[in-house]
Amino acid sequence: MRSNRAKTRAGVSMAATLPMIAGALALGIPAAHADGPARNALTGTRPLWATAKADKGAAADSARVNARVYLAGRDAAGLAAYARAVSDPASPLYGKHLSAKQAQARFGATKAQVTAVKSWLKSAGLTVTGVTTHYVAVSGDVAAAEKAFGTQLHNYAKGKRTYRAPAKTASAPASLKGAVLTVSGLDNAPHKSDHDEQLPPPDAVFKNAGPFSSYFGSNTASSLPDAYGHKIPYAIQGYTGKQLRPAYGAGKYTGKHVRIAITDAYASPTIAFDAGSYAKKHGDAAWKTGQLHQVLPADYTRTEECGASGWYGEETLDVEAVHAVAPNADVTYVGAASCYDDDLLDSLSKVVDNHLADIVSNSWGDVEGNQTPDLAAAYDQVFQFGAVQGIGFYFSSGDDGDQVAASGVKQVDTPANSAWVTAVGGTSLAVGKGDTYQWETGWGTQKANLSADGKSWDAFPGAFTSGAGGGTSKTVPQPYYQQGIVPKKLATANNKAGNRVVPDIAAIADPNTGFLVGQTQTFPDGTQRYSEYRIGGTSLAAPVIAAVQALAQEARGGKAIGFANPSIYQRYGKKGVFHDVTDNPTGSGLAVARTDFVNGLDASGGLATSVRSLGKDSSLHAVKGYDDVTGVGSPANGYVQSYQGH
């Protein structure tokens, strides 16, 4: 979950010939400009909510500020240009990735730049608390921060709360010659992420009630009312790797010699036991010694605020789903110290700086409206450093459809909105008898409860509950790889010039056709025991696609795919590569019946029976061709094979 997808889940045209500032221009933010005779503005550092109307006056001079000054490096424009070229199959530089050391030497900050930035910050009265290859962390009072960054800090009303923020755009001395990319932390509104709400906290046991279908349509709810004029099947008990691998064209490939990283917050204390138990029980290849690694921080913070235990289920889902689809891939879990963006950025940076993997699955995020340009620029810089090294990032697109029901505003999720990541949407998947692929719909659910007399469904088809996130960004310009493929009506929904549309690709996400996961949970008697339950959300889709990419990289002879969007869109329209997912593939209306324990554990608290309609994603629609629910579609039998020799 990043900035809370704890519900059903917590850019630029990039023309190499144009000068670009890493991250900032990818978000449509202009390069730094003169703000006074001797200072350069750090564009985007004043949040949109810091308006004159919301201004509550100056912040106290003695209040504490903890900030990060992100370093632009020695060639920010060159980093963006090389990241594009090395990822574009049409470029002569395609696949010519750099090592982490080479990337830092060519594009990272110089020692002189770091020294100059530290000297500037100290001279203003700030204390340097940490230095990495990406940023200089500082602490001090408001008065020192105002002196350093050339702006007053005021208090502003934001919703029902008041937060501190710059009264005008922050700036840095022109003498630093563009060494500063941006600064974060001048506003103290929460910048955190969340995983999907589909994930029950492991400190309280959760179980699914039956009846179930073992494969789609195997168990018809014959005693329940019709839906769409026919009897409907019970929801899936939970697919396993045995069913998912053939659905997405795994063939003989297993991800051998491919490294996948997974980032989330915190770390499950039982992950090795749970993953091993699950693999053994469901016929996945046993985990080999040293196949599962963890890279964890020395200390954790904000454990109560972030709901640390809830992240254990996210990690468990990600690890088990990756192994189920790519059983021989090497998996490294990188846990963040908290669910805040700064800590999640640190986890991503660990992957890049140490090249821990070529493929990175990320099932967390926040709505675009909560993202600020300073953090967006910092994220994009990490993604670009990853791209030049052959590292691809895959982000779940969200579980609240167009977000109107959840946030009141039609918007996409972030960092999935970045032009430098692969945004993964969601589907409802039907795998039939003999593990055969039947069809997929765009994931979107409407729910209606069984009437009191059991003879009908109340207000059928019911209200929207959850669905794959997608739509058009309001801040990120349309990337070149989407041009000519994404329908103009979608691309220009918020801007005549065209913006980024999410997602790029999709896979199984609907909890009603979800994945069976195994996790140690706490039972009412206080004992902790391994148990299993069905789960979904684009938190499932992201690791599934990451695993499929591992299969494709193996098919490619082990050569890194890197930032995958240019190659994904290049394959669009080729026969047999993608399933073209639509909302009603059978033409007869689709739904499943579901019975749930009211207390989430057993029948002692009663049962609740409902019908869940499929392919009903808020205002978003999965249609023929590219769409804002499933992107170009889901991987078909020819997808992995299309990478052979390429």
Side-chain angles (χ1 to χ4, degrees):
M1 76 191 199
R2 76 181 180 261
S3 191
N4 270 31
R5 271 182 192 170
K7 296 188 180 179
T8 7
R9 5 173 325 179
V12 52
S13 62
M14 297 184 284
T17 56
L18 298 178
M20 288 179 277
I21 295 299
L25 279 187
L27 289 151
I29 303 167
H33 58 276
D35 183 25
R39 300 187 72 86
N40 288 338
L42 302 176
T43 307
T45 47
R46 182 186 182 189
L48 295 177
W49 46 264
T51 63
K53 184 177 180 181
D55 196 337
K56 299 297 182 183
D61 283 350
S62 60
R64 300 299 295 175
V65 175
N66 294 299
R68 286 185 176 184
V69 177
Y70 285 91
L71 304 166
R74 69 195 74 197
D75 186 6
L79 173 64
Y82 197 85
R84 168 179 171 165
V86 78
S87 307
D88 186 353
S91 167
L93 291 176
Y94 178 56
K96 297 186 183 302
H97 302 122
L98 306 179
S99 68
K101 186 176 181 179
Q102 289 171 325
Q104 277 298 322
R106 185 164 174 175
F107 302 113
T110 65
K111 290 182 179 180
Q113 287 175 321
V114 174
T115 298
V117 169
K118 288 168 61 178
S119 178
W120 154 54
L121 296 169
K122 288 178 180 178
S123 69
L126 294 170
T127 299
V128 174
T129 58
V131 179
T132 75
T133 57
H134 301 284
Y135 62 81
V136 176
V138 292
S139 179
D141 58 28
V142 163
E146 289 180 335
K147 180 180 178 182
F149 298 106
T151 178
Q152 289 186 328
L153 300 181
H154 282 204
N155 294 315
Y156 294 89
K158 184 176 186 288
K160 296 181 179 179
R161 310 195 118 200
T162 299
Y163 298 105
R164 184 187 66 233
K168 68 175 184 178
T169 298
S171 60
S175 59
L176 293 175
K177 299 179 181 178
V180 176
L181 173 67
T182 189
V183 57
S184 68
L186 296 183
D187 80 78
N188 64 348
H191 292 283
K192 61 181 182 178
S193 293
D194 225 343
H195 57 70
D196 298 341
E197 286 181 350
Q198 296 290 356
L199 300 170
D203 53 354
V205 65
F206 175 82
K207 287 188 172 182
N208 304 115
F212 302 112
S213 292
S214 58
Y215 58 84
F216 197 89
S218 68
N219 188 4
T220 301
S222 56
S223 63
L224 295 178
D226 290 3
Y228 300 107
H230 53 83
K231 293 296 180 184
I232 57 176
Y234 282 105
I236 297 294
Q237 184 171 13
Y239 291 128
T240 63
K242 182 183 177 183
Q243 293 163 301
L244 295 185
R245 280 178 49 81
Y248 294 128
K252 64 181 180 181
Y253 297 106
T254 61
K256 189 175 182 180
H257 302 311
V258 180
R259 297 178 300 160
I260 301 174
I262 294 165
T263 71
D264 285 310
Y266 309 108
S268 168
T270 61
I271 187 62
F273 172 81
D274 293 341
S277 300
Y278 183 86
K280 183 177 181 180
K281 185 172 181 179
H282 296 288
D284 296 337
W287 288 87
K288 299 179 180 68
T289 302
Q291 189 181 358
L292 176 60
H293 324 265
Q294 291 200 90
V295 177
L296 306 177
D299 298 296
Y300 297 109
T301 62
R302 299 184 172 106
T303 53
E304 290 188 12
E305 180 184 353
C306 293
S309 61
W311 286 82
Y312 302 165
E314 180 67 68
E315 177 187 354
T316 304
L317 167 62
D318 294 350
V319 169
E320 292 177 358
V322 161
H323 187 69
V325 177
N328 283 321
D330 184 271
V331 178
T332 298
Y333 174 74
V334 186
S338 80
C339 66
Y340 273 64
D341 278 313
D342 280 348
D343 290 326
L344 289 161
L345 266 166
D346 283 347
S347 291
L348 295 172
S349 295
K350 286 179 183 178
V351 177
V352 171
D353 294 346
N354 300 287
H355 204 134
L356 298 178
D358 294 331
I359 296 164
V360 190
S361 176
N362 312 274
S363 294
W364 46 268
D366 197 4
V367 293
E368 187 174 70
N370 286 346
Q371 180 64 292
T372 52
D374 53 344
L375 283 167
Y379 272 114
D380 274 3
Q381 187 187 59
V382 172
F383 300 147
Q384 290 171 359
F385 266 105
V388 302
Q389 295 177 44
I391 301 172
F393 297 87
Y394 301 81
F395 275 89
S396 50
S397 69
D399 296 346
D400 292 306
D402 63 11
Q403 282 290 343
V404 170
S407 70
V409 178
K410 188 172 184 177
Q411 57 184 320
V412 297
D413 274 29
T414 182
N417 65 339
S418 170
W420 296 99
V421 308
T422 300
V424 184
T427 70
S428 303
L429 172 66
V431 176
K433 189 175 182 179
D435 305 328
T436 56
Y437 177 94
Q438 293 186 331
W439 45 258
E440 282 173 283
T441 70
W443 170 40
T445 304
Q446 289 180 317
K447 173 186 174 183
N449 293 318
L450 185 65
S451 63
D453 62 9
K455 295 181 179 180
S456 63
W457 304 109
D458 288 336
F460 181 82
F464 171 76
T465 64
S466 56
T472 307
S473 169
K474 295 178 182 176
T475 62
V476 182
Q478 184 180 43
Y480 77 96
Y481 51 77
Q482 288 195 325
Q483 293 172 5
I485 294 176
V486 173
K488 185 177 180 180
K489 184 177 180 180
L490 288 177
T492 59
N494 297 321
N495 183 343
K496 289 184 179 180
N499 280 1
R500 167 123 166 81
V501 182
V502 173
D504 300 302
I505 196 170
I508 178 175
D510 185 354
N512 301 294
T513 66
F515 180 71
L516 194 64
V517 69
Q519 181 187 357
T520 297
Q521 300 183 86
T522 302
F523 285 73
D525 63 1
T527 61
Q528 292 186 343
R529 306 195 299 273
Y530 174 89
S531 61
E532 298 184 341
Y533 55 92
R534 182 186 63 241
I535 201 76
T538 52
S539 279
L540 167 60
V544 167
I545 288 296
V548 171
Q549 290 297 92
L551 308 180
Q553 184 164 317
E554 181 189 1
R556 200 168 182 249
K559 293 184 293 184
I561 295 170
F563 173 46
N565 284 9
S567 63
I568 287 173
Y569 283 87
Q570 183 198 48
R571 285 166 168 76
Y572 175 74
K574 294 183 178 180
K575 186 176 180 180
V577 174
F578 297 106
H579 298 123
D580 190 1
V581 182
T582 59
D583 281 334
N584 189 17
T586 66
S588 58
L590 294 166
V592 296
R594 188 166 135 180
T595 301
D596 295 294
F597 295 128
V598 172
N599 62 11
L601 174 62
D602 55 36
S604 65
L607 298 171
T609 301
S610 61
V611 59
R612 310 296 177 104
S613 292
L614 312 183
K616 307 286 186 181
D617 191 6
S618 56
S619 66
L620 310 178
H621 301 284
V623 299
K624 186 174 177 59
Y626 178 94
D627 59 68
D628 53 7
V629 178
T630 67
V632 297
S634 68
N637 283 337
Y639 180 78
V640 170
Q641 286 76 9
S642 73
Y643 281 89
Q644 292 177 335
H646 294 278

PDB file of all heavy atoms in Angstrom, residues 71-83:
ATOM      1  N   LEU A  71      19.545  15.371  -4.956  1.00  0.00           N
ATOM      2  CA  LEU A  71      20.622  15.824  -5.827  1.00  0.00           C
ATOM      3  C   LEU A  71      20.303  15.545  -7.290  1.00  0.00           C
ATOM      4  O   LEU A  71      19.912  14.433  -7.644  1.00  0.00           O
ATOM      5  CB  LEU A  71      21.926  15.119  -5.429  1.00  0.00           C
ATOM      6  CG  LEU A  71      22.322  15.293  -3.951  1.00  0.00           C
ATOM      7  CD1 LEU A  71      23.404  14.301  -3.566  1.00  0.00           C
ATOM      8  CD2 LEU A  71      22.771  16.730  -3.691  1.00  0.00           C
ATOM      9  N   ALA A  72      20.488  16.541  -8.139  1.00  0.00           N
ATOM     10  CA  ALA A  72      20.189  16.379  -9.565  1.00  0.00           C
ATOM     11  C   ALA A  72      21.250  15.552 -10.277  1.00  0.00           C
ATOM     12  O   ALA A  72      20.991  14.959 -11.329  1.00  0.00           O
ATOM     13  CB  ALA A  72      20.068  17.745 -10.236  1.00  0.00           C
ATOM     14  N   GLY A  73      22.439  15.498  -9.716  1.00  0.00           N
ATOM     15  CA  GLY A  73      23.509  14.751 -10.372  1.00  0.00           C
ATOM     16  C   GLY A  73      24.237  15.597 -11.396  1.00  0.00           C
ATOM     17  O   GLY A  73      23.931  16.761 -11.633  1.00  0.00           O
ATOM     18  N   ARG A  74      25.190  14.974 -12.068  1.00  0.00           N
ATOM     19  CA  ARG A  74      26.052  15.731 -12.979  1.00  0.00           C
ATOM     20  C   ARG A  74      25.453  15.895 -14.369  1.00  0.00           C
ATOM     21  O   ARG A  74      25.917  16.695 -15.157  1.00  0.00           O
ATOM     22  CB  ARG A  74      27.414  15.063 -13.074  1.00  0.00           C
ATOM     23  CG  ARG A  74      27.446  13.729 -13.775  1.00  0.00           C
ATOM     24  CD  ARG A  74      28.746  12.996 -13.508  1.00  0.00           C
ATOM     25  NE  ARG A  74      28.767  12.458 -12.157  1.00  0.00           N
ATOM     26  CZ  ARG A  74      29.866  12.050 -11.530  1.00  0.00           C
ATOM     27  NH1 ARG A  74      31.035  12.145 -12.127  1.00  0.00           N
ATOM     28  NH2 ARG A  74      29.795  11.550 -10.319  1.00  0.00           N
ATOM     29  N   ASP A  75      24.391  15.102 -14.700  1.00  0.00           N
ATOM     30  CA  ASP A  75      23.822  15.196 -16.055  1.00  0.00           C
ATOM     31  C   ASP A  75      22.384  14.691 -16.028  1.00  0.00           C
ATOM     32  O   ASP A  75      22.081  13.604 -16.512  1.00  0.00           O
ATOM     33  CB  ASP A  75      24.664  14.376 -17.031  1.00  0.00           C
ATOM     34  CG  ASP A  75      24.217  14.552 -18.483  1.00  0.00           C
ATOM     35  OD1 ASP A  75      23.333  15.397 -18.742  1.00  0.00           O
ATOM     36  OD2 ASP A  75      24.744  13.832 -19.352  1.00  0.00           O
ATOM     37  N   ALA A  76      21.500  15.498 -15.445  1.00  0.00           N
ATOM     38  CA  ALA A  76      20.106  15.085 -15.302  1.00  0.00           C
ATOM     39  C   ALA A  76      19.437  14.882 -16.659  1.00  0.00           C
ATOM     40  O   ALA A  76      18.688  13.926 -16.861  1.00  0.00           O
ATOM     41  CB  ALA A  76      19.329  16.117 -14.486  1.00  0.00           C
ATOM     42  N   ALA A  77      19.714  15.778 -17.597  1.00  0.00           N
ATOM     43  CA  ALA A  77      19.121  15.642 -18.927  1.00  0.00           C
ATOM     44  C   ALA A  77      19.637  14.386 -19.620  1.00  0.00           C
ATOM     45  O   ALA A  77      18.891  13.664 -20.280  1.00  0.00           O
ATOM     46  CB  ALA A  77      19.430  16.876 -19.767  1.00  0.00           C
ATOM     47  N   GLY A  78      20.915  14.127 -19.450  1.00  0.00           N
ATOM     48  CA  GLY A  78      21.498  12.941 -20.057  1.00  0.00           C
ATOM     49  C   GLY A  78      20.951  11.661 -19.471  1.00  0.00           C
ATOM     50  O   GLY A  78      20.783  10.661 -20.179  1.00  0.00           O
ATOM     51  N   LEU A  79      20.659  11.660 -18.165  1.00  0.00           N
ATOM     52  CA  LEU A  79      20.071  10.485 -17.522  1.00  0.00           C
ATOM     53  C   LEU A  79      18.725  10.149 -18.144  1.00  0.00           C
ATOM     54  O   LEU A  79      18.458   8.993 -18.496  1.00  0.00           O
ATOM     55  CB  LEU A  79      19.906  10.741 -16.026  1.00  0.00           C
ATOM     56  CG  LEU A  79      19.147   9.670 -15.241  1.00  0.00           C
ATOM     57  CD1 LEU A  79      19.892   8.344 -15.260  1.00  0.00           C
ATOM     58  CD2 LEU A  79      18.909  10.137 -13.799  1.00  0.00           C
ATOM     59  N   ALA A  80      17.860  11.156 -18.285  1.00  0.00           N
ATOM     60  CA  ALA A  80      16.546  10.924 -18.875  1.00  0.00           C
ATOM     61  C   ALA A  80      16.655  10.439 -20.315  1.00  0.00           C
ATOM     62  O   ALA A  80      15.941   9.525 -20.739  1.00  0.00           O
ATOM     63  CB  ALA A  80      15.705  12.200 -18.811  1.00  0.00           C
ATOM     64  N   ALA A  81      17.564  11.047 -21.072  1.00  0.00           N
ATOM     65  CA  ALA A  81      17.728  10.672 -22.480  1.00  0.00           C
ATOM     66  C   ALA A  81      18.259   9.247 -22.613  1.00  0.00           C
ATOM     67  O   ALA A  81      17.785   8.465 -23.449  1.00  0.00           O
ATOM     68  CB  ALA A  81      18.668  11.655 -23.178  1.00  0.00           C
ATOM     69  N   TYR A  82      19.224   8.885 -21.777  1.00  0.00           N
ATOM     70  CA  TYR A  82      19.786   7.538 -21.864  1.00  0.00           C
ATOM     71  C   TYR A  82      18.773   6.506 -21.380  1.00  0.00           C
ATOM     72  O   TYR A  82      18.691   5.399 -21.940  1.00  0.00           O
ATOM     73  CB  TYR A  82      21.073   7.434 -21.047  1.00  0.00           C
ATOM     74  CG  TYR A  82      21.902   6.217 -21.412  1.00  0.00           C
ATOM     75  CD1 TYR A  82      22.793   6.271 -22.478  1.00  0.00           C
ATOM     76  CD2 TYR A  82      21.772   5.017 -20.718  1.00  0.00           C
ATOM     77  CE1 TYR A  82      23.544   5.154 -22.844  1.00  0.00           C
ATOM     78  CE2 TYR A  82      22.511   3.899 -21.073  1.00  0.00           C
ATOM     79  CZ  TYR A  82      23.387   3.970 -22.130  1.00  0.00           C
ATOM     80  OH  TYR A  82      24.113   2.860 -22.490  1.00  0.00           O
ATOM     81  N   ALA A  83      18.002   6.855 -20.348  1.00  0.00           N
ATOM     82  CA  ALA A  83      16.971   5.943 -19.855  1.00  0.00           C
ATOM     83  C   ALA A  83      15.967   5.612 -20.949  1.00  0.00           C
ATOM     84  O   ALA A  83      15.512   4.467 -21.071  1.00  0.00           O
ATOM     85  CB  ALA A  83      16.257   6.561 -18.653  1.00  0.00           C
TER      86      ALA A  83
END
